[in-house]
Amino acid sequence: MKKKKLLDPQIVRKRTELMMERQLGELEKFFGEFERYNDQYYAWLKSGQSLNIRYYEDSKFMSKVFSTRITLELEDIVMETSWKARLSFRGVKTISRLVWRADKKGAQDRIHFLNEWEEFNDQLLPLCQRLDLITIELDYAKDANRLLVSILPYAGSYVWIKLPPAYCDIPLKPFEAETIYEIVSLFIREFGQYQGLQTV
């Protein structure tokens, strides 16, 4: 009976909602209140940007991983062309270097600029060392003059193992929420029209 209960999709959904509530509680200390729209949550920052948080699902053969995606939307960003980039990390025992990679062809000049932007990467590196990250993704749309900055941490994730039935929570810790705040502030400061975030 217990195994059957652990396999109940409604139980899984309820647990993901509880996990989201827990991490929103930590993030709201820095970003203010989030409002729910369907399966996503939005905060409107004093700097004028919006911050979106949601789960994205990665299905395996005998498990599902619900990972957190936190997306900052920067508007009125004017660049020559659309491009996408994804952050990867270098280092043996700890992260010692950041490397930006293009998600599609045609953005090599922008990727080269990102990798050569030492002042920005030197500020981002210690934040990535403090936070266990899957990656950071950048998606610039020229037609909308909009840059999406997606932060994908391991913290805040939720794993459902089907056989043997089990759950595994990876809660977001207070210092990790603060680090996410600092990463968001850095991108606003360097890419946006507003110099820094105000603590709510």
Side-chain angles (χ1 to χ4, degrees):
M1 185 70 178
K2 184 179 180 181
K3 286 186 177 181
K4 185 176 180 180
K5 183 177 180 181
L6 288 170
L7 289 170
D8 186 351
Q10 294 301 319
I11 299 296
V12 175
R13 182 173 181 83
K14 181 63 177 177
R15 288 180 67 97
T16 55
E17 290 178 352
L18 290 173
M19 277 293 292
M20 180 62 77
E21 288 177 10
R22 289 174 62 184
Q23 63 180 328
L24 286 175
E26 296 296 340
L27 291 168
E28 285 178 344
K29 297 173 185 177
F30 299 95
F31 296 110
E33 186 176 354
F34 284 79
E35 296 181 20
R36 182 170 184 172
Y37 291 86
N38 298 319
D39 291 331
Q40 304 187 45
Y41 299 79
Y42 288 85
W44 282 266
L45 310 179
K46 288 186 176 180
S47 52
Q49 290 85 10
S50 67
L51 194 71
N52 162 262
I53 180 170
R54 66 178 178 85
Y55 276 125
Y56 65 97
E57 184 179 323
D58 185 13
S59 294
K60 307 293 185 182
F61 176 61
M62 293 304 296
S63 67
K64 283 188 178 182
V65 180
F66 300 85
S67 300
T68 297
R69 176 182 288 267
I70 301 165
T71 301
L72 169 68
E73 183 173 331
L74 294 168
E75 297 181 340
D76 301 322
I77 307 294
V78 180
M79 298 183 188
E80 299 80 14
T81 186
S82 298
W83 55 274
K84 294 182 181 181
R86 183 179 177 93
L87 187 62
S88 58
F89 311 106
R90 296 292 181 271
V92 180
K93 293 185 178 180
T94 60
I95 298 171
S96 58
R97 188 164 67 94
L98 305 178
V99 178
W100 292 96
R101 298 193 175 279
D103 262 16
K104 64 177 183 178
K105 295 180 180 179
Q108 294 303 325
D109 56 340
R110 179 56 52 181
I111 303 307
H112 178 74
F113 171 80
L114 284 171
N115 284 317
E116 294 297 315
W117 192 1
E118 292 184 6
E119 181 182 354
F120 174 70
N121 290 316
D122 287 348
Q123 294 179 76
L124 182 59
L125 177 59
L127 299 176
C128 293
Q129 291 170 332
R130 270 179 16 213
L131 182 65
D132 197 5
L133 277 172
I134 300 171
T135 190
I136 296 176
E137 296 177 344
L138 306 180
D139 185 351
Y140 177 70
K142 177 177 171 53
D143 58 347
N145 289 340
R146 183 188 65 222
L147 177 65
L148 300 180
V149 181
S150 294
I151 304 164
L152 287 72
Y154 284 103
S157 299
Y158 166 73
V159 182
W160 174 34
I161 302 170
K162 299 178 183 179
L163 188 66
Y167 302 117
C168 179
D169 298 342
I170 310 173
L172 183 72
K173 300 179 178 66
F175 82 89
E176 292 171 323
E178 183 177 7
T179 303
I180 290 170
Y181 167 82
E182 293 177 6
I183 292 173
V184 169
S185 297
L186 175 62
F187 274 95
I188 289 179
R189 186 165 63 246
E190 299 298 332
F191 285 87
Q193 305 299 313
Y194 182 84
Q195 296 301 307
L197 272 170
Q198 296 292 329
T199 302
V200 179

